[in-house]
């Protein structure tokens, strides 16, 4: 089967071939002896999360602390009504001038 490469080096694979290898978004690509070898790769979400945690050097204790923080009740000052109780002088308010709207008069149809 033929597959065409575009000007942007994109390659469209025939549907029958992609169906033969199963649903996958990623392929490992290698060049061997003048040929391109595509191998389907199924990335597990848990593997991706573990890799990201390792990259960020996060530990189990860091994760437990983050979960505890996220589950803790919000401080009282962060409640939605807290801003309503603040003095108005805390914020600078500048009035907005309204624009004049021109209304185009039309003659009613005769």
């Amino acid at each position: 089967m033929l597959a065409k490469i575009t000007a942007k080096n994109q390659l469209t694979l025939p549907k029958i071939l992609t169906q033969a290898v199963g649903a996958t978004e990623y392929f490992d690509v290698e060049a061997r002896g003048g040929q391109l070898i595509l191998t389907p790769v199924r990335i597990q979400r848990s593997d991706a999360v573990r890799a990201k945690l390792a990259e960020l050097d996060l530990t189990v204790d860091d994760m437990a602390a983050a979960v505890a923080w996220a589950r803790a009740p919000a401080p009282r000052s962060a409640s939605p009504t807290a801003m309503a109780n603040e003095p108005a002088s805390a914020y600078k308010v500048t009035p907005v001038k309204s624009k004049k709207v021109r209304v185009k008069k039309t003659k009613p149809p005769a």
Side-chain angles (χ1 to χ4, degrees), residues 12 61 85 101 106:
T12 301
D61 292 335
N85 298 330
V101 178
T106 59

Side-chain angles (χ1 to χ4, degrees), residues 22-97:
T24 186
E25 286 187 63
Y26 296 94
F27 289 87
D28 180 49
V29 183
E30 72 178 277
R32 190 183 318 152
Q35 295 180 336
L36 293 177
I37 310 297
L38 302 174
T39 307
V41 177
R42 288 169 183 76
I43 297 176
Q44 300 294 326
R45 291 185 190 269
S46 58
D47 292 342
V49 170
R50 284 187 193 97
K52 188 65 174 180
L53 292 174
E55 178 185 322
L56 296 172
D57 197 30
L58 294 175
T59 65
V60 173
D61 292 335
D62 295 329
M63 295 304 298
V67 169
W69 173 84
R71 290 182 176 166
R76 185 171 197 150
S77 63
S79 68
T81 58
M83 287 184 61
N85 298 330
E86 291 183 18
S89 61
Y91 301 98
K92 182 180 178 182
V93 178
T94 54
V96 177
K97 292 183 180 181

